[in-house]
Amino acid sequence: MTAETTLTNALLVLPDRVEAGTLLVRDGLIAELQPGPSRLPGAIDLEGDHLIPGVIDVHTDNLERQVLPRSAARWPSRSAFLAHDAQTAAAGVTTVLDALCLGDLGFDAERTETFLNGVADLDALAPTGLLKSEHFLHLRCELPAPDLLPLLERVADHPAVRMASLMDHSPGVGQYVDVERYRAMRLRGGLSADEVDRRIANLLEQRERLRGPQRRALLDRLAHRHLPLASHDDWDEEEIAGNAADGVLISEFPVSLQAARSARRHGMEIIAGAPNIVRGGSHSGNVAAADLVRAGLVDVFASDYVPPAMIEAVWRAVAQTGISLPAAVATITDAPARMLRMQDRGRLEAGRRADLVRLRPLDGIPVVRSVWREGSRIA
């Protein structure tokens, strides 16, 4: 885009309505919104397509999938980061929190390398201006992992960190409350039954010994940052109450309707996985996100592991749950902007950043046609 651009003949998805109109971009910001078409000769005709704010993804593991496109084929980290960036931009995600895991629970040692490389690659690439989307960091902190605190120390004061989540992927709790299901998953990874059982026993002992002290140390270390803090895979009323009391006021991917209701009772915002909506249910056998939407228990959708799921989840939620299109779009734009305290983006509103996505539904699936970040075309 030039310093001033007019986008016309668009269906503008505004906070409270969808309106046919025109949007003027000036110096990277939304300058004006007008109903109806523009007659300016240089106006860009969007042919009746929808125009929504740029998508804000508070949690994506997509970088891990670029680093390990196959289980035994690790990709060069810088190339993987650039591929990840291109995919997020093509999906309409203009602001992305790369969710990097801190701590190994004995089955995913390669994640530490991904974390270290991911931070280094972001530090190297962000100043170049070559990244399409704007990238920040979301620290996924495995509370029972022995290496959590040394890894946290590397990034606790990093300016790109905008969110942290308290995770516990031990067998018997949260996402893996069903120990036999967890055991079967690990057996599919090729380990012997004896090795899996030994590791499970070690994890349970490790959790008992480390989780509490490391949780307290984590909260104390990050207190000065005043970051949005999330609890991950909420499942237990007592845990939810304890998190809320400690200022952890976001429930990320609650595993059941009851857990989501408990989180809401404690004043927590709720993040659901967009792939859960697109697939028609949880890949882990947990609560269907559509049921959470129907119950009014979703504030924000996150891509989790599939960036294109964000916008598709919005259209599917409208079709499946009766939520309005503006309200559904807000779950991937305005609500995450507010969650992350980014008041400069997330709405089609004068003075906000011109982060924009043009899309056209095809048989109920929204197809991204153009993406702009601060008024510049990135996809």
Side-chain angles (χ1 to χ4, degrees):
M1 283 188 178
T2 59
E4 183 168 303
T5 303
T6 301
L7 304 175
T8 194
N9 191 18
L11 288 175
L12 306 175
V13 183
L14 305 173
D16 60 347
R17 67 191 186 280
V18 179
E19 181 176 275
T22 298
L23 184 146
L24 175 65
V25 176
R26 184 181 298 125
D27 296 329
L29 300 177
I30 299 172
E32 189 176 346
L33 297 110
Q34 304 170 343
S38 170
R39 298 187 181 278
L40 290 175
I44 299 173
D45 185 357
L46 297 194
E47 304 172 343
D49 288 346
H50 288 77
L51 192 67
I52 69 170
V55 174
I56 301 170
D57 191 354
V58 301
H59 179 132
T60 184
D61 308 344
N62 187 57
L63 178 58
E64 292 183 350
R65 279 142 188 84
Q66 307 317 307
V67 169
L68 283 171
R70 290 189 178 180
S71 59
R74 192 169 186 91
W75 209 252
S77 66
R78 192 66 51 85
S79 296
F81 200 106
L82 290 168
H84 162 57
D85 175 60
Q87 290 176 17
T88 58
V93 179
T94 53
T95 303
V96 54
L97 268 60
D98 297 320
L100 301 178
C101 191
L102 282 67
D104 172 31
L105 291 184
F107 291 97
D108 302 298
E110 72 280 352
R111 280 182 162 173
T112 297
E113 183 179 354
T114 300
F115 159 68
L116 295 173
N117 288 341
V119 175
D121 290 338
L122 178 57
D123 286 342
L125 290 169
T128 69
L130 295 176
L131 293 176
K132 298 175 183 295
S133 301
E134 186 171 16
H135 291 255
F136 298 96
L137 295 173
H138 175 157
L139 305 181
R140 301 164 56 209
C141 303
E142 280 288 0
L143 296 179
D147 54 347
L148 167 62
L149 296 180
L151 292 174
L152 175 66
E153 197 55 41
R154 290 173 173 261
V155 290
D157 300 311
H158 196 294
V161 174
R162 294 302 177 91
M163 187 172 178
S165 54
L166 283 63
M167 304 199 310
D168 185 349
H169 285 108
S170 303
V173 300
Q175 181 178 350
Y176 300 125
V177 65
D178 185 337
V179 176
E180 284 308 309
R181 184 176 182 138
Y182 178 90
R183 184 174 184 274
M185 177 187 71
R186 294 307 183 189
L187 287 172
R188 288 194 296 271
L191 296 174
S192 69
D194 287 345
E195 178 64 14
V196 168
D197 290 342
R198 183 185 67 80
R199 292 196 187 189
I200 288 175
N202 288 343
L203 278 177
L204 294 176
E205 182 278 328
Q206 185 175 298
R207 180 179 190 269
E208 181 69 22
R209 176 168 44 89
L210 295 178
R211 186 185 187 281
Q214 295 202 148
R215 179 182 180 278
R216 187 70 263 160
L218 169 76
L219 293 174
D220 290 345
R221 182 64 181 89
L222 295 178
H224 73 292
R225 295 292 305 272
H226 304 289
L227 296 171
L229 298 176
S231 54
H232 188 81
D233 294 341
D234 282 331
W235 69 288
D236 178 80
E237 168 75 32
E238 184 177 352
E239 290 284 348
I240 292 167
N243 285 327
D246 284 335
V248 182
L249 296 177
I250 301 168
S251 177
E252 184 179 51
F253 312 142
V255 302
S256 67
L257 189 61
Q258 292 75 18
R261 285 175 172 154
S262 175
R264 187 68 95 210
R265 284 195 301 272
H266 286 90
M268 302 174 80
E269 293 182 281
I270 297 171
I271 299 172
N276 186 311
I277 289 280
V278 174
R279 295 182 65 255
S282 167
H283 72 280
S284 302
N286 296 323
V287 65
D291 290 340
L292 296 181
V293 173
R294 293 186 189 98
L297 295 172
V298 174
D299 299 292
V300 169
F301 278 126
S303 77
D304 197 3
Y305 54 95
V306 184
M310 298 281 280
I311 294 177
E312 186 169 348
V314 163
W315 254 254
R316 289 185 180 273
V318 170
Q320 296 172 13
T321 72
I323 188 174
S324 72
L325 182 60
V329 167
T331 65
I332 62 170
T333 56
D334 187 36
R338 287 185 284 106
M339 179 177 282
L340 298 172
R341 300 153 196 168
M342 295 179 174
Q343 302 303 319
D344 61 341
R345 65 198 76 186
R347 288 187 174 208
L348 298 189
E349 184 177 87
R352 303 264 182 152
R353 282 180 25 159
D355 294 350
L356 308 166
V357 183
R358 174 190 181 182
L359 54 90
R360 179 179 297 177
L362 175 67
D363 297 329
I365 298 176
V367 179
V368 173
R369 303 192 69 196
S370 307
V371 184
W372 297 267
R373 175 184 154 200
E374 294 185 276
S376 295
R377 179 83 179 269
I378 61 171

